[in-house]
Amino acid sequence: MEPLTEHRLVSGPVVYGFLRLVKVPAARQAALTASLAEYCRIHELQLSGVFTDRDVSPGPDSAAFTGLLDVLALPDIYGVIAPAISHLGPKTIAAERERRIEAAGSRLLLVRRPRTAHPPISRGGPVRRRSPGTTRVLDSES
């Protein structure tokens, strides 16, 4: 008799992490890397590596981002995970990087969902709603 699927070692979809860390202490880097790993564990993703951008260049090109795009060209890569959209850089750079990630056929996953400018209002006051596409690690099971 063959073992049940739940008892077999099965790899989840492959993702790569991306961090933008300019003048950040090693402890902060370790905490952010751990948050990516925890998100992947909870969502059954395989974190295959983390690219760290320490460059403050005015454009979207950096050694770390170029390396990320190179691995996204490999077969069977699901996407990129980042703590927040700000890790892709300032708004204009982040938008271009997000476009390039999607053009590579990959998804961008965020540990923290983007904040809305105006939260929804109901009769009883503000309502907190979750976006179905993202999950905060801190709100997940411990």
Side-chain angles (χ1 to χ4, degrees):
M1 180 179 270
E2 218 172 307
L4 297 172
T5 304
E6 291 82 11
H7 296 153
R8 294 183 184 186
L9 293 175
V10 178
S11 296
V14 175
V15 295
Y16 284 87
F18 190 81
L19 299 172
R20 183 173 184 270
L21 304 173
V22 180
K23 298 180 182 177
V24 173
R28 177 79 173 140
Q29 179 176 350
L32 288 168
T33 302
S35 75
L36 296 181
E38 179 66 6
Y39 181 94
C40 290
R41 185 192 67 77
I42 289 170
H43 295 281
E44 299 178 349
L45 301 168
Q46 181 182 341
L47 183 61
S48 290
V50 177
F51 290 86
T52 304
D53 189 1
R54 297 185 185 281
D55 194 9
V56 191
S57 64
D61 296 321
S62 70
F65 191 72
T66 300
L68 176 68
L69 291 177
D70 287 346
V71 297
L72 293 181
L74 296 171
D76 300 325
I77 303 300
Y78 183 73
V80 176
I81 181 168
I85 195 72
S86 62
H87 278 268
L88 293 182
K91 287 183 181 181
T92 56
I93 293 173
E96 176 61 19
R97 286 180 171 178
E98 185 174 5
R99 186 194 66 72
R100 289 184 185 183
I101 289 168
E102 290 172 359
S106 295
R107 296 175 184 244
L108 176 62
L109 307 169
L110 302 175
V111 174
R112 288 181 291 168
R113 63 188 165 95
R115 295 180 186 194
T116 57
H118 302 285
I121 304 292
S122 71
R123 278 191 162 171
V127 176
R128 302 195 91 196
R129 293 186 181 151
R130 294 214 176 273
S131 169
T134 57
T135 303
R136 292 183 59 184
V137 171
L138 297 176
D139 291 342
S140 301
E141 60 191 49
S142 299

